[in-house]
Amino acid sequence: MHALQPPEGEAQWSAPFACPPPPTWPTAYPEGYAVVDVETTGLGRSDRIVSAAVYRLDGRGEVVDHWYSPVNPQRDPGPVWIHGLTSEMLDGAPTFPEVAEELAARLAGRVLVAHNALFDWNMIAHEFLRMGGAAPVEQRLCTIVLSRDLRLPLPNHKLESLAAHFGVEQQRAHHALDDARVLAEAFRPSLRLAAAAGLALPLTACVPPVESADPRPLPGARSGSSSWGSYRPSRRRPACPYPNPGRWQQGGPLVQGMRVAFTGDTATDRELLEDRAIEAGLHIASSVSRLTSLLVTNEPGSWSGKARRAREVGTPTMDEQAFLQLLRDVAPHTSVPHPGGPPR
């Protein structure tokens, strides 16, 4: 478990992809990154981290150092066939509170970088939340989003495809340290390509969650792995009985029937927000269109697909706290509700 130690020196890395840094570097780019990978007992909010790895990079993607630790989850380790960590192997490993200080020191002041970063951020944030604290992360960058913005010709969004594009050799997939190494190797040329093109990096603000014992999958849970956790399946929501009254107007109330979409991190559990909205007579929209009444987001300038679409079509936005305030007094719809819900 501890034998896998990828080389620290850049010259020994496996990637043959040559991408020299551009002559001028964007001044708005971050000064440092923490490339992260965590392996977990499952995908739910009650699941735990079983191993964590961090590669610290400077502002131009050069390796500063790396760190790895197995983590005793104090419960069944989950999909051993994926991460390879059995209960016996983790028995003498430190618990998360015992590695939290070291992990926090490596994250502090840096942008968290991960492949499907929302998942890794959520797992780390919930571990710190259990300790009564917060992860020292203000922004994250998802390499899936960055590869899309760079228009890399990838067959899919798997880490192995990104690695293959840049000629990075995977030694042991789903080992946190090797996955972090592979991603760090692929991120450096991606960062340089973005800098050369003058591309704004898809940085996302990280909002610490509040306590939730909900065992359902965390946002960003990796696809194709639904058997990892024992969480509840997604629910079929009832149709909204009110017709759409149109867009929310600045300074006005929410009105029953309004189509509301959510994107990005929320301190309140997303499912709880949606449940409260439905109880108030609102319609939950899974995407944003010209018919969407409102987008709830704590970062209206984010790089999510919904936020981008909202900016394109002029959908009004508000943050989570403002939405919770308006949710206390939703205006009734003037029409009689339809028992089965009107066609949307």
Side-chain angles (χ1 to χ4, degrees), residues 56-57 66 127 186 218 228 325:
R56 288 196 292 187
L57 311 181
H66 71 257
E127 288 284 11
L218 286 161
W228 286 19
Q325 288 290 329

Side-chain angles (χ1 to χ4, degrees), residues 69 138 184 198 203 205 209 265 326 329:
S69 179
E138 295 184 0
L203 303 175
D265 293 0
L326 290 182
D329 191 19

Side-chain angles (χ1 to χ4, degrees), residues 94-110:
T95 61
F96 188 85
E98 293 172 325
V99 303
E101 184 176 357
E102 179 70 24
L103 177 58
R106 293 176 177 277
L107 297 176
R110 296 174 182 273

Side-chain angles (χ1 to χ4, degrees), residues 107-150:
L107 297 176
R110 296 174 182 273
V111 172
L112 184 152
V113 177
H115 203 64
N116 198 0
L118 178 57
F119 174 78
D120 294 83
W121 154 247
N122 270 318
M123 293 304 302
I124 291 171
H126 279 81
E127 288 284 11
F128 275 95
L129 181 62
R130 293 184 188 100
M131 297 170 51
V137 178
E138 295 184 0
Q139 291 181 308
R140 65 176 181 267
L141 186 155
C142 181
T143 48
I144 293 177
V145 178
L146 180 58
S147 66
R148 288 172 179 167
D149 288 350
L150 289 171

